Amino acid sequence: MNANAHTKQIINGSMFEIDNSRGTFKEVRGNSETTISRTSYSFDIETTLNRQTECTFMYVGQLAVNETCYIFRKWDDILNAIEQIYNDGNETNKTNIIWIANLGYEMSFMLPRLAKHFKDKATLDVFADSPRHPIFVRLVNESGTYCVEFRDTLRVSGLNLRNTAKNYCKTQKLEMEYSEMRNSRTNISNIIDTCNLIYK
């Protein structure tokens, strides 16, 4: 997809594309074998809290596919992109893993939306060790393939996002002023400019 696989790109989410250039591998557990995509997917939302109503809402979502980061401003666009990833897994009988830092927090926003969006397309499978602490969330097709599996990076690393970035990444966690009120129409060009500087 990218001419230079080492160059990060920031792209509007309406241009979302699947990238299967990295192929797959087999994951064997006991007598079962699962085909896993090597495509690197990660997802994050930025939220803001209205102190008067105590309501929290998303104002920007980011879905990275290998070296490309797609920026979304609306839930419908995010869900449509996840549906493309699901369809890719469904058509090729494989699992696409989407990594999320602090899966429980993101899923507090996503679970009801995933359930509604996929109600006629997939079964939602959630495995948690306590309320609001899922270990994984899966979108399963009718033949039992986990076409999409959301996994928690913090569970794997045992580190918070800042320390995970310090220990394992070339880029670092972007510090933001979270008390500032934002919504889906808020200008985020400064965030995108900062990300483009970090990624180069």
Side-chain angles (χ1 to χ4, degrees):
M1 186 159 116
N2 299 336
N4 180 350
H6 300 292
T7 302
K8 299 280 187 181
Q9 295 185 59
I10 309 293
I11 298 179
N12 184 293
S14 63
M15 306 292 289
F16 183 78
E17 290 182 26
I18 300 291
D19 178 3
N20 284 322
S21 61
R22 297 183 178 185
T24 61
F25 68 94
K26 299 289 186 183
E27 181 179 78
V28 179
R29 294 182 184 176
N31 294 327
S32 67
E33 184 177 275
T34 305
T35 302
I36 307 285
S37 173
R38 290 185 187 276
T39 301
S40 176
Y41 291 104
S42 59
F43 178 74
D44 185 37
I45 57 173
E46 299 298 338
T47 62
T48 191
L49 170 66
N50 183 325
R51 300 274 180 203
Q52 294 178 335
T53 63
E54 293 299 312
C55 290
T56 304
F57 50 92
M58 181 272 295
Y59 67 91
V60 63
Q62 302 134 82
L63 178 55
V65 183
N66 297 330
E67 282 75 33
T68 302
C69 180
Y70 295 92
I71 302 293
F72 299 88
R73 303 309 302 274
K74 297 178 181 176
W75 276 112
D76 283 346
D77 295 334
I78 291 171
L79 292 166
N80 288 335
I82 293 171
E83 184 175 353
Q84 285 186 54
I85 298 170
Y86 171 85
N87 289 341
D88 174 64
N90 190 36
E91 291 162 10
T92 57
N93 200 36
K94 70 182 178 190
T95 299
N96 290 306
I97 298 173
I98 302 176
W99 292 96
I100 297 180
N102 195 356
L103 183 62
Y105 182 77
E106 308 290 299
M107 281 298 155
S108 67
F109 292 90
M110 292 179 68
L111 274 178
R113 292 174 171 90
L114 289 171
K116 182 177 180 183
H117 188 86
F118 285 93
K119 76 173 177 166
D120 297 324
K121 301 173 187 128
T123 301
L124 193 59
D125 178 24
V126 180
F127 181 72
D129 58 2
S130 61
R132 295 182 296 280
H133 289 86
I135 294 172
F136 62 73
V137 174
R138 293 170 171 166
L139 293 169
V140 185
N141 69 11
E142 60 184 17
S143 65
T145 299
Y146 311 132
C147 300
V148 173
E149 181 172 314
F150 298 94
R151 292 186 185 175
D152 194 340
T153 59
L154 303 186
R155 293 275 185 151
V156 174
S157 69
L159 301 169
N160 64 30
L161 194 55
R162 186 175 291 104
N163 288 331
T164 299
K166 283 181 184 177
N167 291 329
Y168 298 106
C169 303
K170 292 179 182 177
T171 58
Q172 300 303 305
K173 184 178 184 300
L174 180 62
E175 298 299 336
M176 299 175 61
E177 179 51 64
Y178 290 99
S179 63
E180 181 182 335
M181 286 300 299
R182 298 177 175 96
N183 59 41
S184 62
R185 294 179 180 171
T186 301
N187 186 328
I188 58 167
S189 58
N190 61 327
I191 297 172
I192 294 174
D193 289 345
T194 303
C195 289
N196 277 320
L197 286 172
I198 290 172
Y199 287 153
K200 286 181 181 175

